[in-house]
Amino acid sequence: MADIVTMAKAELTERGRADAAALAARAVSGEATDGELVEKQAMIPTWRARDFSGVPVGTPYQWEGMVYKLVQQHDATGNPGWTPDAVSALWAAVSVPGESGTAEDPITAERGMEYTYGRYYRDLEDALVYLCQRTGEAEGGKVVLQYLPHELVGQYFTLAEA
């Protein structure tokens, strides 16, 4: 009986790994939405200081309750401080699903997230809404920023009309 339980646990573990790998592949290809990644966060591995040099860009990891996507391959083996929330050049926070980015339904801003030009964001530090825009950048373009909108007014954001 113990052998059957052991075999069943091994089978479930292998299925979980396969499902997690399939989700990561869909994230890399752009097929998995941010909402799906947040919904299936339990399947996403937790970040740890390791070599990400061979990891495909877009691979999701979780850290301190947030999901992040790899932006740039790197080796963090000897750099435990290169956590996803600390290095926006390497990681982009996944936005909360269900927020459309309109003035009526702004996206909740997070440090280290990928912002989209032409969308609206609510900054939780001052509870105001900002439009992401920058001279010379087309609407729909993206930028990863380690700062909140109120910290970059006039550079990447303008205060939305109240």
Side-chain angles (χ1 to χ4, degrees):
M1 182 70 155
D3 287 342
I4 292 173
V5 172
T6 302
M7 288 172 49
K9 284 182 180 178
E11 173 66 24
L12 287 174
T13 299
E14 187 53 40
R15 275 194 215 165
R17 282 191 186 120
D19 290 347
L23 179 62
R26 292 183 64 245
V28 169
S29 71
E31 294 174 47
T33 65
D34 286 356
E36 182 179 0
L37 294 176
V38 170
E39 179 183 310
K40 297 180 177 178
Q41 183 171 348
M43 295 173 57
I44 297 172
T46 300
W47 179 93
R48 61 182 170 80
R50 58 169 281 209
D51 188 356
F52 295 94
S53 298
V55 176
V57 169
T59 300
Y61 286 86
Q62 60 176 307
W63 178 251
E64 296 187 349
M66 288 284 299
V67 175
Y68 295 85
K69 292 182 199 173
L70 180 67
V71 173
Q72 180 178 325
Q73 294 176 328
H74 62 282
D75 185 357
T77 305
N79 299 294
W82 287 6
T83 58
D85 62 328
V87 189
S88 62
L90 304 176
W91 300 96
V94 171
S95 61
V96 177
E99 298 174 328
S100 65
T102 62
E104 298 76 28
D105 186 26
I107 297 166
T108 303
E110 296 280 345
R111 293 182 190 279
M113 78 181 296
E114 183 177 72
Y115 293 93
T116 302
Y117 296 112
R119 291 207 180 151
Y120 290 84
Y121 295 85
R122 178 170 309 283
D123 189 325
L124 295 180
E125 284 194 9
D126 64 6
L128 297 176
V129 175
Y130 297 85
L131 173 63
C132 182
Q133 63 181 20
R134 186 174 180 136
T135 302
E137 295 292 341
E139 197 166 301
K142 299 179 184 296
V143 62
V144 176
L145 299 170
Q146 188 60 35
Y147 299 93
L148 292 172
H150 78 273
E151 298 169 313
L152 295 173
V153 171
Q155 297 171 354
Y156 288 93
F157 296 94
T158 56
L159 182 62
E161 296 296 320

